[in-house]
Amino acid sequence: NNEGVIALKTNGTMWAWGGNSQGQLGLNKNTNVSSPTQIGALTTWAEIDRGQAENCHFAIKTDGTLWAWGYGATGRLGNNTNNTFYSSPIQIGALTNWRSVTEGASTTLAIKTDNTLWNWGYVATTGNVSSPVQLGSDTDWYAVTNGGNSYAGSAIKGS
């Protein structure tokens, strides 16, 4: 079973447990973990992904940087690699304006603080993309969701 759980505490620490065959828990190992274990020692995690993929995860720190770990099939980790495993969080690019992120089985969607929408992994219009690309030019995106076994996601605009 590849299913693992990632949780964020109010003190900014991130915790993981469950299946970990591909390093998807971010604990720098690939063995299963039966109880909540803190991911590193940082207290600056602000947001975790809302997706349902079993073998990769994303988080955003309080400084707006984006981090990923697990299995990067279809380029969905966003770090210009494909089919690569990372068993601990790695920073995706150098930008500091990420607000929310979600991943699915093959694609990742995110919104920046300027309310623009970004996509990587499997992108319907271009195929596999291994780094974030902006979708359109709208600046009123509010939220993103992604299905666990889907190539598609959805985004909600603000009012």
Side-chain angles (χ1 to χ4, degrees):
N1 186 332
N2 285 335
E3 292 186 33
V5 176
I6 305 293
L8 185 64
K9 285 190 174 184
T10 57
N11 65 2
T13 58
M14 196 164 40
W15 297 73
W17 64 97
N20 193 35
S21 64
Q22 297 173 327
Q24 66 267 32
L25 294 183
L27 298 169
N28 204 27
K29 60 183 179 179
N30 64 352
T31 55
N32 295 348
V33 178
S34 61
S35 61
T37 304
Q38 188 172 346
I39 300 172
L42 296 177
T43 60
T44 55
W45 298 107
E47 173 80 18
I48 55 176
D49 64 55
R50 301 286 192 248
Q52 298 175 3
E54 297 175 348
N55 54 8
C56 78
H57 293 283
F58 292 86
I60 298 172
K61 288 187 179 179
T62 55
D63 65 2
T65 56
L66 178 64
W67 297 74
W69 61 96
Y71 179 47
T74 68
R76 70 179 166 179
L77 290 181
N79 67 335
N80 292 315
T81 64
N82 191 15
N83 297 323
T84 305
F85 295 86
Y86 294 93
S87 62
S88 59
I90 57 166
Q91 188 172 346
I92 306 305
L95 298 177
T96 59
N97 61 341
W98 296 103
R99 181 168 53 88
S100 63
V101 62
T102 184
E103 95 293 322
S106 299
T107 190
T108 304
L109 291 166
I111 297 176
K112 289 186 178 180
T113 57
D114 64 1
N115 299 321
T116 55
L117 181 63
W118 296 75
N119 189 201
W120 59 96
Y122 180 78
V123 178
T125 56
T126 58
N128 294 347
V129 176
S130 63
S131 62
V133 294
Q134 188 174 349
L135 294 180
S137 60
D138 292 347
T139 59
D140 57 350
W141 295 103
Y142 176 72
V144 287
T145 63
N146 223 333
N149 293 318
S150 173
Y151 285 98
S154 61
I156 301 168
K157 288 190 171 194
S159 55

